[in-house]
Amino acid sequence: MNYRSTRNINQDAVSAAQAIKQGLCNDGGLFMPESIPALTLDDVKALSTKSYAERAAYILSLFLTDYTYEELLADCSEAYSDKRFKGGAAPLATLNDNTSVLELWHGPTSAFKDMALQIMPRLLSRALTKTGEERTAFILVATSGDTGKAALEGYCDVDKVKITVFYPVDGVSRVQKLQMATQKGGNVFVCAVKGNFDDAQNGVKKIFSDKTMAQKLDANGYFLSSANSINWGRLAPQIAYYVSAYCDLVAEGKIALGDKMNVCVPTGNFGNIFAAYIAKRMGLPVNKFVCASNKNNILTTFLNEGTYDRNRDFYTTMSPSMDILISSNLERLLYLLGGSERTAAYMKDLTEKGVYTVDADIKAKLDAEFAGYYADEAECAETIKTTFADGYLCDTHTAVAVCAAKKYQEESGDDTYMVVASTASPYKFAADVYKSIKDDADFADDYEALPCLNELSGVEIPEGLATLLSKEVRFEKVIEADAMPEEVLSELGIQ
Ligand SMILES: *Cc1c(COP(=O)(O)O)cnc(C)c1O
């Protein structure tokens, strides 16, 4: 299985190892597999009796054909071990008769990014060997919060890798900041950037496309690689948990083998929901994808109207990991639905004008499989409250999706069994979760809210969060977005 650019199908194909090592295509496009491998109902049935690690290794083996199944199983067994994922890698919780929640946050950082970032560094490590690479991989990450910590945790002290994480100074919670600022490891660096997530992400993109920068790094034994969700090594592992959820629903008797399920995903960069879409293209029985957004509802408008327009206000919400105006992985969906030529044109328009409109045939395909809904701040808070009253404590991002799923179910009348992706532990956003349930509560920040939420809900605080304040703060630097290239060079000791 080889990989090509979403913007030029005629460009030379590369191996999976090369795609993972490189991150982004030379033309700025994203790597996509040449074809989508098939998953039959018999395959699904066979996977039903397997562990999560075995399910993930099997799905990965279909895409990463230059890795052996044994290599992938060894990596998945470590990445998704009971020690790292307490309570299982991707367990389902029942919300009501017709809906289950797929909990993707039992990993070390209590957010769903762990699902990809616990395995990705292992895949990269092998990719360096497989491609005969002698330089050190320099991982550069822009994060709206959860990615940063999950990447730091995943890459920490991995051989022949260094990682730098930039985060928007006003775009992450105190818990997220603390999680990153206290990161251990000799190969990690963390820095805050003035501005919002897009400023940080654009800064990283600029560094990636800067030829002089690449030469300087190369001369000093480094090459740039991304851990952002545009890397295929991030995306591929996410396909597995949708297959796994389907297996579990069948095992629980919620659906019969061959029945369809719906999937609702709280969406930011469009990586998670796109992984679900790939699972469907492989053959997993999925009816609709509900794309859930917060007040930054650019994707809701896009799915309803076919126009993606980033010339709009940006809001800081209580679901900050979804506060995004450019959903990078949407490019992969456009490529699958409309081909590389049109994708390249849309992306050019997006860069130059900040807006594009898809052709009618693409819009029709979107309508057939996707529905876009959003929850504003009041609806998000109300959903946390009512869901808790019904017996389930969810975080702010998950609440956006629970609300969107309900709106979709009510408006469409579609009663297909719904799986809502739950992307963070309620404790990662404890203050907003608590305040949503008890209107009169007031906290200086989300850290203070941890014990209160624990008392209110009885749900255990994840260990990594409970011990945060006792850890040493190692990183406190704040810079202008323009200064990011200099910062990178000085961090690596390059003049
Ligand atoms: C990253 C993140 C999302 C958005 O996922 P995408 O793959 O970027 O769409 C949603 N919720 C949480 C908690 C996240 O960390």
Side-chain angles (χ1 to χ4, degrees), residues 111-113 144 146-147 229 234 238 265-273 321-322 324 329 395 397 423-424 429:
F112 103 99
K113 303 288 193 293
S144 55
D146 292 333
T147 308
S229 68
R234 274 280 301 278
Q238 299 187 263
V265 183
T267 297
N269 228 355
F270 212 79
N272 199 1
I273 193 169
S321 296
M322 300 158 71
I324 286 177
N329 276 300
D395 96 294
H397 303 75
T423 50
F429 303 93

Side-chain angles (χ1 to χ4, degrees), residues 20 36 93 99 189 196 218 231 252 258 276 329 333 348 420 474:
I20 289 172
I36 307 286
T99 310
F189 180 66
N196 63 35
D218 183 61
N231 192 308
E252 288 174 16
N329 276 300
L333 180 62
K348 190 160 178 276
V420 176
R474 297 181 62 206

Side-chain angles (χ1 to χ4, degrees), residues 392-440:
Y392 188 75
L393 184 69
C394 68
D395 96 294
T396 48
H397 303 75
T398 308
V400 167
V402 169
C403 180
K406 213 188 255 166
K407 284 188 186 181
Y408 167 76
Q409 286 168 326
E410 280 166 13
E411 278 186 29
S412 67
D414 178 358
D415 64 355
T416 308
Y417 200 91
M418 177 72 82
V419 171
V420 176
S422 173
T423 50
S425 156
Y427 284 102
K428 263 210 105 161
F429 303 93
D432 284 321
V433 170
Y434 190 98
K435 281 187 270 184
S436 302
I437 298 169
K438 288 205 157 202
D439 313 312
D440 57 341

Side-chain angles (χ1 to χ4, degrees), residues 190-469:
V190 178
C191 184
V193 177
K194 291 181 190 162
N196 63 35
F197 171 68
D198 288 324
D199 296 316
Q201 192 175 45
N202 284 334
V204 163
K205 279 186 177 167
K206 268 191 205 143
I207 294 174
F208 269 97
S209 60
D210 182 341
K211 299 238 158 56
T212 324
M213 188 78 173
Q215 282 163 2
K216 277 189 190 166
L217 291 173
D218 183 61
N220 287 276
Y222 293 102
F223 73 96
L224 277 172
S225 189
S226 87
N228 274 10
S229 68
I230 50 173
N231 192 308
W232 183 252
R234 274 280 301 278
L235 227 145
Q238 299 187 263
I239 302 166
Y241 50 73
Y242 290 104
V243 177
S244 179
Y246 188 89
C247 290
D248 290 345
L249 286 182
V250 173
E252 288 174 16
K254 297 249 158 64
I255 58 173
L257 187 70
D259 284 356
K260 288 188 172 170
M261 65 177 181
N262 285 337
V263 174
C264 178
V265 183
T267 297
N269 228 355
F270 212 79
N272 199 1
I273 193 169
F274 184 73
Y277 181 70
I278 293 277
K280 177 176 183 181
R281 289 288 281 248
M282 293 174 75
L284 194 72
V286 180
N287 177 33
K288 278 270 181 180
F289 298 93
V290 180
C291 176
S293 299
N294 63 25
K295 197 176 170 192
N296 294 294
N297 57 0
I298 188 165
L299 285 167
T300 314
T301 310
F302 171 69
L303 289 170
N304 286 335
E305 294 167 16
T307 296
Y308 194 96
D309 187 356
R310 66 152 303 180
N311 304 308
R312 51 183 283 149
D313 290 339
F314 176 86
Y315 302 104
T316 301
T317 73
M318 60 173 136
S319 46
S321 296
M322 300 158 71
D323 291 345
I324 286 177
L325 291 185
I326 298 186
S327 297
S328 305
N329 276 300
L330 183 60
E331 176 169 350
R332 287 192 156 108
L333 180 62
L334 295 176
Y335 163 80
L336 282 182
L337 300 184
S340 68
E341 227 168 275
R342 285 194 281 178
T343 303
Y346 296 146
M347 292 304 115
K348 190 160 178 276
D349 280 351
L350 184 63
T351 308
E352 289 171 3
K353 302 173 204 151
V355 55
Y356 62 86
T357 301
V358 295
D359 293 334
D361 61 315
I362 297 179
K363 177 68 168 59
K365 288 181 193 168
L366 288 170
D367 289 345
E369 299 190 284
F370 287 85
Y373 285 87
Y374 79 98
D376 63 23
E377 295 290 272
E379 288 171 319
C380 176
E382 182 60 24
T383 303
I384 290 171
K385 190 173 186 167
T386 53
T387 307
F388 179 65
D390 290 342
Y392 188 75
L393 184 69
C394 68
D395 96 294
T396 48
H397 303 75
T398 308
V400 167
V402 169
C403 180
K406 213 188 255 166
K407 284 188 186 181
Y408 167 76
Q409 286 168 326
E410 280 166 13
E411 278 186 29
S412 67
D414 178 358
D415 64 355
T416 308
Y417 200 91
M418 177 72 82
V419 171
V420 176
S422 173
T423 50
S425 156
Y427 284 102
K428 263 210 105 161
F429 303 93
D432 284 321
V433 170
Y434 190 98
K435 281 187 270 184
S436 302
I437 298 169
K438 288 205 157 202
D439 313 312
D440 57 341
D442 196 18
F443 301 104
D445 59 55
D446 52 345
Y447 190 84
E448 273 187 8
L450 293 179
C452 304
L453 187 59
N454 173 252
E455 200 166 306
L456 179 69
S457 69
V459 176
E460 203 183 326
I461 306 176
E463 189 190 304
L465 297 178
T467 57
L468 260 187
L469 267 200

